[in-house]
Amino acid sequence: MSNTPVAVIVGLKYCGGCKPDYDRVALVEEIRRRLGDEAIWVRADDPTAELILAVHGCLTACADLESCQAKPIVAVTGPEAAEAFVCHVQTLKR
Amino acid sequence: MTPQQYEESLRKLKLEVYMFGKRVENVVDDPIIRPSMNAVAKTYEMAQRPEYEDIMTVKSHITGKRINRFTHIHQNVDDLVKKSKMGRLMGRATGCCFQRCVGMDALNALSIVTYDIDKAKGTEYNQRFLKYLAFVQEHDLVCDGAMTDPKGNRALAPHQQADPDLFLHVVEERKEGIVVRGAKAHQTGAVNSHEIIVMPTIAMRAEDKDYAVSFALPSEAKGIVYIMGRQSCDTRKLEAGQLDRGNPFFGGHEALVVFENVFVPWERVFMYKEYEFAGSLVENFASYHRQSYACKVGVGDVLIGASQTAAEYNGAERASHVKDKIIEMNHLNETLYCGCISCASEGHKEPSGTYVVDKLLANVHKQNVTRFPYEIARLAQDIAGGLMVTMPAEEDFKSPTTGKWLDKYYAGNCDVPTLNRMRILRLIENLTLGTAAVGYLTESMHGAGSPQAQRIMISRLANMAEKKKAAKKLSGIDE
Ligand SMILES: Cc1cc2nc3c(=O)[nH]c(=O)nc-3n(C[C@H](O)[C@H](O)[C@H](O)COP(=O)(O)OP(=O)(O)OC[C@H]3O[C@@H](n4cnc5c(N)ncnc54)[C@H](O)[C@@H]3O)c2cc1C
Ligand code: SF4
């Protein structure tokens, strides 16, 4: 039996970014960096996605998640949510 | 389409373009025109990026394929709201007029009016239009929305003008189509367009039926000639440096488009002498386009950001009046945003299935647009200081003789390189009295109709009977 941790496949979905309160792409880069090979990143509509990260620019939180409804969705609306998401993925892996 | 494919597609067009008295042989690489091409290309680039796709792309209601929102027919209120958000997003990304909304508004207005004409007259314009729409969506095309005629004597109807060509009109009917003559003035993004969609400019009566014509043509169709408009400070784009341009990346353009006996095949004709519907086409297009001035909110974001930066570079950002001016600029800019979001949120479905904005609110929004950017620009110039108009040229900053003095005497906050202070001031100049002021100020005034056009619509659409009824009831008047 291998001890290699299995990476979580994260489907990434951004809102349209009309007036974001923070740099959404930089936040995702930071999360990706933190998770390293603990996560595999795909588009939100990729059928292999196990979990959706919805990155909203503000509290309006209007990303269109219609195509992802069958999957667990974690929504972030600001940089402070990054830590919680990283912990969540790490918990899932165990 | 990618931005590169868009650029390549423009290179294939054989447009007859004139500027400074000469034919422009290479439109795409012309230094005066190029920044405007960059701004349209940005609408393609943003649509490719996952972080903007929710706003920039949408599913086509005719093919089910994902398309650029600039070619979409609004199918619900959410589409209308996203259109307003797209305007702000693009305005902020380019700091100028990105030119593609006029065509989108023409497509949406025609989707409504071709349907209405067919219902009333048994014509088949809507089928033709939908075929054309599928073509535009499939190829992700840029359409110029051409409404404004030169208009000659404003007191006279089209048929009364001394020169009948002052409004575009039909001059010949053939078995295969029609021949038109006239011109369209102030055409935004004309030479960056694949297609040109022509609409009448005002409501018409029976005597003007030859002028009640709407159609679409490839921008390179035989007989179409483009004469580029000048913009304040345009020739700075011919200079070697970048700094004095203010915004070295993006810009807009307008042109006079002449139609010298141009043939239009029937399958591209969407209104032919149905003069009773000219007013409805104008009103629908104008309402959509008044909403489109959401773009000014995005450009306002850039100007407010530039003003705050200029204050910081000056060391004045903590002064209470500067803080208050920035608050006022934001207040005005977000008030504009309220208008373009609210007219979208209160939109409704037309018999054709297309959603249209609330016309009263769209007119109120545009009326505010004729004023607030001027006040925001005034406050920006106040905060910037006089240097934004007295600053020497970039070459003087680079010159071994004068550079050291300019660097020394035009320094502000010593943590900031002098050249960065100059850059932000040049951007404020660009937006408030340079090339971008064409879009941010004068287009805010006249584009989509001069202020009086909105006031007429406001007086028509405000429900005065209900307001009087409410007042009479509360004051105890029993009529
Ligand atoms: C930067 C810019 C971009 C534009 N882009 C486009 C475009 O892409 N497509 C397009 O079709 N159009 C475009 N327009 C045109 C715009 O819609 C017109 O400028 C607008 O409708 C006003 O027309 P005008 O410029 O001929 O002004 P005028 O009609 O000459 O108006 C000048 C003044 O006279 C008044 N006036 C005019 N006629 C009358 C009358 N009969 N009775 C009483 N008062 C009158 C007006 O209210 C105004 O105060 C653009 C304009 C600008 C400035
Ligand atoms: S979540 Fe906020 S920033 Fe993102 S598109 Fe919606 S309103 Fe705009």
Side-chain angles (χ1 to χ4, degrees):
Chain A
M1 213 171 95
S2 158
N3 278 337
T4 317
V6 180
V8 176
I9 305 177
V10 182
L12 178 61
K13 179 69 194 168
Y14 287 101
C15 71
C18 69
K19 51 171 181 58
D21 293 333
Y22 65 100
D23 186 336
R24 296 165 306 141
V25 178
L27 178 75
V28 170
E29 282 311 311
E30 172 64 12
I31 294 174
R32 286 175 98 129
R33 193 189 59 73
R34 295 271 312 278
L35 284 172
D37 53 13
E38 294 174 273
I40 294 170
W41 295 84
V42 295
R43 282 181 58 95
D45 54 9
D46 188 315
T48 65
E50 299 167 295
L51 168 73
I52 305 297
L53 172 62
V55 185
H56 302 283
C58 72
L59 292 173
T60 307
C62 67
D64 181 359
L65 297 167
E66 210 181 288
S67 63
C68 331
Q69 289 306 337
K71 312 261 168 77
I73 297 169
V74 179
V76 302
T77 53
E80 63 291 343
E83 183 61 34
F85 181 75
V86 169
C87 292
H88 180 66
V89 171
Q90 286 169 339
T91 318
L92 281 180
K93 273 182 42 219
R94 279 180 220 124
Chain B
M1 192 156 24
T2 65
Q4 294 75 22
Q5 288 166 334
Y6 166 63
E7 184 175 332
E8 284 317 305
S9 70
L10 290 185
R11 286 188 194 284
K12 290 186 192 130
L13 295 178
K14 294 188 175 42
L15 305 184
E16 191 177 340
V17 181
Y18 295 90
M19 190 168 55
F20 297 119
K22 291 195 197 87
R23 175 109 186 229
V24 182
E25 298 298 342
N26 179 349
V27 176
V28 174
D29 296 315
D30 185 276
I32 301 254
I33 300 171
R34 176 91 197 173
S36 71
M37 197 283 292
N38 292 341
V40 184
K42 194 79 181 161
T43 68
Y44 289 94
E45 194 235 305
M46 304 269 282
Q48 308 258 317
R49 287 165 59 176
E51 65 268 33
Y52 299 117
E53 70 180 8
D54 250 26
I55 284 183
M56 299 298 300
T57 68
V58 60
K59 204 189 264 182
S60 163
H61 75 293
I62 45 175
T63 63
K65 290 186 192 159
R66 199 112 199 128
I67 52 167
N68 193 302
R69 190 176 293 280
F70 281 105
T71 66
H72 184 52
I73 300 299
H74 315 301
Q75 295 301 301
N76 45 49
V77 161
D78 188 51
D79 277 347
L80 289 171
V81 171
K82 288 213 165 112
K83 178 198 159 188
S84 289
K85 291 184 171 195
M86 177 169 73
R88 184 175 195 170
L89 175 66
M90 287 303 312
R92 196 176 47 226
T94 58
C96 69
C97 165
F98 41 86
Q99 308 144 59
R100 217 176 158 184
C101 52
V102 211
M104 167 179 54
D105 296 336
L107 290 171
N108 276 274
L110 278 168
S111 79
I112 294 172
V113 178
T114 53
Y115 183 93
D116 292 346
I117 303 176
D118 289 356
K119 281 278 159 271
K121 306 246 169 187
T123 44
E124 51 182 42
Y125 293 123
N126 194 247
Q127 280 308 314
R128 283 183 197 171
F129 170 75
L130 289 174
K131 231 172 122 187
Y132 176 69
L133 177 70
F135 164 75
V136 169
Q137 290 184 347
E138 179 67 25
H139 299 279
D140 198 1
L141 301 179
V142 177
C143 302
D144 171 8
M147 178 163 277
T148 310
D149 290 280
K151 297 187 299 231
N153 182 336
R154 270 68 175 156
L156 302 177
H159 74 280
Q160 295 170 322
Q161 297 289 334
D163 181 341
D165 300 341
L166 287 169
F167 285 77
L168 186 141
H169 61 122
V170 182
V171 291
E172 192 188 333
E173 184 181 320
R174 295 183 192 160
K175 196 162 151 273
E176 314 77 39
I178 56 174
V179 178
V180 297
R181 188 163 63 232
K184 291 288 175 180
H186 320 294
Q187 292 309 297
T188 294
V191 308
N192 291 330
S193 301
H194 305 103
E195 290 279 321
I196 177 157
I197 303 176
V198 169
M199 299 159 285
T201 211
I202 47 169
M204 287 176 187
R205 287 200 284 259
E207 304 89 309
D208 293 320
K209 66 179 184 332
D210 287 347
Y211 297 85
V213 61
S214 175
F215 56 86
L217 280 174
S219 52
E220 60 182 349
K222 190 161 174 283
I224 300 184
V225 177
Y226 301 84
I227 307 166
M228 300 299 293
R230 291 209 66 172
Q231 296 186 329
S232 166
C233 307
D234 51 5
T235 48
R236 289 196 192 176
K237 290 183 260 187
L238 301 175
E239 296 168 7
Q242 301 280 313
L243 190 151
D244 293 344
R245 300 178 195 192
N247 179 345
F249 309 105
F250 302 110
H253 79 243
E254 296 77 28
L256 177 74
V257 184
V258 178
F259 293 76
E260 190 63 11
N261 300 323
V262 180
F263 174 72
V264 190
W266 284 119
E267 64 267 23
R268 291 296 200 100
V269 177
F270 307 131
M271 174 188 282
Y272 182 62
K273 302 194 181 183
E274 289 86 5
Y275 62 91
E276 320 89 292
F277 289 88
S280 165
L281 185 51
V282 173
E283 191 179 303
N284 279 293
F285 170 79
S287 300
Y288 280 127
H289 205 44
R290 287 166 195 175
Q291 172 203 13
S292 280
Y293 281 28
C295 63
K296 309 303 176 210
V297 184
V299 180
D301 285 333
V302 176
L303 185 53
I304 296 168
S307 306
Q308 175 68 32
T309 308
E312 289 170 13
Y313 286 2
N314 247 353
E317 79 278 16
R318 277 187 293 275
S320 63
H321 77 97
V322 171
K323 284 187 190 161
D324 194 55
K325 281 165 185 157
I326 295 284
I327 292 168
E328 178 65 6
M329 292 164 93
N330 277 309
H331 163 70
L332 292 169
N333 206 43
E334 298 302 337
T335 305
L336 292 181
Y337 192 54
C338 293
C340 64
I341 289 293
S342 70
C343 70
S345 309
E346 300 273 292
H348 69 268
K349 190 176 181 174
E350 285 289 311
S352 66
T354 304
Y355 271 69
V356 70
V357 288
D358 180 287
K359 291 179 182 167
L360 174 61
L361 296 180
N363 278 280
V364 168
H365 168 57
K366 171 66 210 319
Q367 180 79 184
N368 286 338
V369 170
T370 67
R371 298 173 179 167
F372 296 178
Y374 285 88
E375 180 60 9
I376 295 172
R378 189 184 74 79
L379 291 167
Q381 292 198 352
D382 178 346
I383 292 171
L387 191 53
M388 61 167 272
V389 291
T390 64
M391 185 195 309
E394 181 174 358
E395 281 89 339
D396 294 312
F397 282 87
K398 287 186 180 151
S399 150
T401 318
T402 52
K404 58 183 183 295
W405 289 315
L406 294 178
D407 197 44
K408 172 181 159 82
Y409 291 115
Y410 284 153
N413 179 339
C414 61
D415 295 337
V416 175
T418 305
L419 269 184
N420 281 359
R421 186 167 173 240
M422 301 307 113
R423 283 194 176 93
I424 211 74
L425 293 177
R426 282 286 185 227
L427 178 61
I428 296 175
E429 180 196 35
N430 169 263
L431 287 162
T432 62
L433 45 79
T435 51
V438 173
Y440 188 56
L441 298 180
T442 315
E443 190 181 35
S444 290
M445 177 71 78
H446 288 294
S450 308
Q452 189 59 17
Q454 291 106 60
R455 298 188 82 77
I456 291 167
M457 288 301 290
I458 292 169
S459 97
R460 250 180 55 199
L461 296 170
N463 188 340
M464 291 311 295
E466 277 306 306
K467 290 180 208 299
K468 282 196 295 182
K469 206 165 121 191
K472 286 177 183 171
K473 190 173 168 197
L474 286 175
S475 61
I477 297 170
D478 190 12
E479 278 181 342

